[in-house]
C-alpha cells in the first residue's frame, strides 16, 4: 500500500519518522525521482547499528542515478521541530504513533501538521479491532512497546481532530485485508493519507503555527534566522549517491570502454608473448558486455576508434591495431593518451574499493 502511494513523482523529498532499522529507506532510495531522504529516530544506538544499510552499494556505483540523491540519518524526537524538515513533499509515520505516550500524541500532531507542514503525511497504526483474530489475552497488544492501539472508530476520531485543527484533508485506507469470513474486523493496519490544502505556504502563518505548537514566546529574530537555528536533530550519517554525468554522452563512455579493453588485451598479450603490437577484431570486442550494451554497429565502433590516439583502424575497417604496453600512467603511452584513457581504470578501482568496504553486507 505504502509503495503505491509514495511512487508519485511529485514526492521528491521524503522523511521517514520512526525509521528504526531503516528498512523503509532501503526501498525509497531505489526510486529515481526522489532527491532527498531523511530518516529520523530517537534511538541513536539503533541508527548507528543499521546506518550501513544507507551506504551506496557496488550496484549504485555501476548503475549511477539520473538524478541526485542525498540520504541522511538523523537522531531526534518527532515531537521537536527541525527546520531541515520544513515543507517537505511527504512525511511518513509508519506504525509509529502507537509508540508515543498518550500525552505526546497531540504534540506530535502539532509538530507535524502545525509546524513542519509537509504537503502530504502518510500515517499508519495497528487496527485494534483486528486483534480479535490473534486470540490475544485481555489488554494484550501487538508489541511490548505499544502504549495504546486504536480501533477504527478511534483512529477516525483522531484524523477528524487533526483536520479540524490544521489545514489538511485526509483519506482512510486499509493495510492487510482480513479473511473473507471476518470482514467485520477490518484491515490488519489502518492508515490515512493527509494532504495539505494549500500548495504554497504563507511563511508568517507557518512560523506562527510553529511558535504556538512549541509554546514559546515571540523572539526578536526573523523567521529565516529562527529556521536556520532550529536544528536539534543530530546527524548520524549522510551520503550523496553516485550520479551520472549528463555532459558525458553514450559515445563518450563507449570510447572509454574501447580504450580500456584494448589496453588490457594489449597488456595481456605483452606479458604472454612480449609482442609490441596486437590486432584486435571489432566483432571480438562486441562480445564484451561493456561494449555490447551500447548496441553499436561495427562501423560506428571503428569511427570512434579513429578518434582515439592510441588505436589505429586497419584498412579492412573491422580490426584495430593496439600497441602492447603496461597499463599505467607512467608507461610510454602516457604521452599519447590523456587522462580520459585512465578514467575507466580509476573508476573501476574505486568501485573495487567500495566492494571491499561492503564486507559488512
Amino acid at each position: 500500500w505504502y509503495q503505491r502511494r509514495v511512487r508519485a513523482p511529485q514526492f521528491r523529498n521524503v522523511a521517514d519518522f520512526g525509521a528504526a532499522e531503516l528498512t523503509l529507506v532501503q526501498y525509497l532510495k531505489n526510486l529515481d525521482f526522489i532527491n532527498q531522504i531523511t530518516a529520523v529516530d530517537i534511538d541513536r544506538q539503533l541508527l548507528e547499528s543499521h546506518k550501513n544499510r544507507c551506504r551506496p552499494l557496488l550496484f549504485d556505483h555501476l548503475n549511477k542515478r539520473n538524478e541526485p540523491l542525498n540520504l541522511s540519518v538523523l537522531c531526534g524526537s518527532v515531537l521537536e521541530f527541525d527546520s531541515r524538515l520544513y515543507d517537505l513533499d511527504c512525511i511518513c509515520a509508519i506504525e509509529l504513533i502507537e509508540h508515543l505516550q498518550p500525552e505526546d500524541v497531540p504534540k506530535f500532531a502539532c509538530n507535524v501538521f502545525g509546524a513542519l507542514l509537509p504537503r502530504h503525511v502518510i500515517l499508519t497504526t495497528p487496527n485494534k479491532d483486528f486483534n480479535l483474530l490473534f486470540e490475544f489475552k485481555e489488554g494484550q497488544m501487538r508489541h511490548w512497546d505499544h502504549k495504546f492501539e486504536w480501533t477504527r472508530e478511534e483512529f477516525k476520531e483522531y484524523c477528524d481532530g487533526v483536520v479540524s485543527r490544521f489545514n489538511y484533508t485526509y483519506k482512510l485506507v486499509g493495510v492487510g485485508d482480513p479473511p473473507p469470513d471476518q470482514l467485520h474486523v477490518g484491515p490488519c493496519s489502518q492508515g490515512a493519507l493527509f494532504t495539505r490544502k494549500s500548495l504554497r505556504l504563507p511563511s508568517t502563518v507557518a512560523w506562527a503555527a510553529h511558535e504556538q505548537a512549541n509554546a514559546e514566546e515571540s523572539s526578536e529574530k526573523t523567521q529565516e534566522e529562527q529556521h536556520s537555528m532550529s536544528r536539534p536533530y543530530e546527524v548520524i550519517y549522510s551520503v550523496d549517491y553516485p550520479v551520472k554525468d549528463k555532459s558525458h554522452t553514450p559515445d563518450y563512455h563507449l570510447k572509454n570502454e574501447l580504450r580500456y579493453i584494448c589496453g588490457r588485451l594489449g597488456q595481456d598479450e605483452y606479458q604472454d608473448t612480449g609482442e609490441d603490437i596486437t590486432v584486435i577484431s571489432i566483432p571480438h570486442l562486441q562480445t564484451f558486455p561493456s561494449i555490447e550494451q551500447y548496441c553499436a554497429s561495427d562501423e560506428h565502433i571503428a569511427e570512434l576508434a579513429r578518434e582515439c590516439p592510441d588505436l589505429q583502424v586497419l584498412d579492412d575497417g573491422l580490426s584495430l591495431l593496439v600497441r602492447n604496453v603496461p597499463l599505467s600512467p607512467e608507461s610510454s603511452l602516457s604521452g599519447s593518451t590523456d587522462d580520459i584513457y585512465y578514467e575507466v581504470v580509476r573508476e573501476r578501482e574505486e568501485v573495487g574499493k567500495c566492494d571491499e568496504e561492503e564486507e559488512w553486507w
Side-chain angles (χ1 to χ4, degrees), residues 308-324:
C308 302
D310 49 317
L311 301 178
Q312 179 180 346
V313 181
L314 299 184
D315 293 340
D316 62 3
L318 294 175
S319 303
L320 304 180
L321 184 67
V322 181
R323 290 187 58 191
N324 302 340

Side-chain angles (χ1 to χ4, degrees), residues 181-192:
D181 58 341
Q182 299 286 347
L183 295 178
H184 63 283
V185 301
C188 183
S189 283
Q190 51 196 342

Side-chain angles (χ1 to χ4, degrees), residues 38-165:
T38 307
V40 179
D41 201 279
I42 199 170
D43 191 332
R44 191 181 196 282
Q45 182 177 0
L46 190 63
L47 295 177
E48 287 281 4
S49 61
H50 291 87
K51 65 183 180 182
N52 282 333
R53 291 186 172 182
C54 300
R55 295 176 59 182
L57 304 177
L58 174 61
F59 174 86
D60 298 307
H61 287 274
L62 294 176
N63 300 272
K64 297 181 180 180
R65 295 173 57 90
N66 292 318
E67 298 294 333
L69 168 65
N70 173 265
L71 199 162
S72 297
V73 179
L74 307 181
C75 180
S77 170
V78 297
L79 307 180
E80 290 186 284
F81 176 87
D82 190 297
S83 60
R84 288 168 290 189
L85 305 183
Y86 176 72
D87 191 23
L88 297 181
D89 290 330
C90 183
I91 287 181
C92 308
I94 308 301
E95 309 294 296
L96 164 70
I97 197 169
E98 65 274 7
H99 292 271
L100 302 177
Q101 295 292 344
E103 61 269 22
D104 289 333
V105 173
K107 298 178 184 177
F108 171 76
C110 287
N111 185 38
V112 174
F113 299 101
L116 294 175
L117 299 173
R119 290 176 176 82
H120 303 276
V121 177
I122 297 177
L123 189 152
T124 70
T125 188
N127 172 22
K128 185 177 180 180
D129 296 330
F130 193 90
N131 291 354
L132 177 68
L133 303 183
F134 295 139
E135 299 181 356
F136 283 166
K137 298 178 182 179
E138 184 177 355
Q140 182 178 355
M141 300 187 192
R142 299 187 193 181
H143 189 272
W144 65 267
D145 191 50
H146 285 185
K147 307 304 187 294
F148 59 87
E149 290 178 355
W150 283 332
T151 64
R152 285 168 292 172
E153 182 178 350
E154 290 171 329
F155 183 59
K156 184 178 185 303
E157 182 180 346
Y158 170 79
C159 295
D160 288 338
V162 168
V163 299
S164 67
R165 293 184 59 196

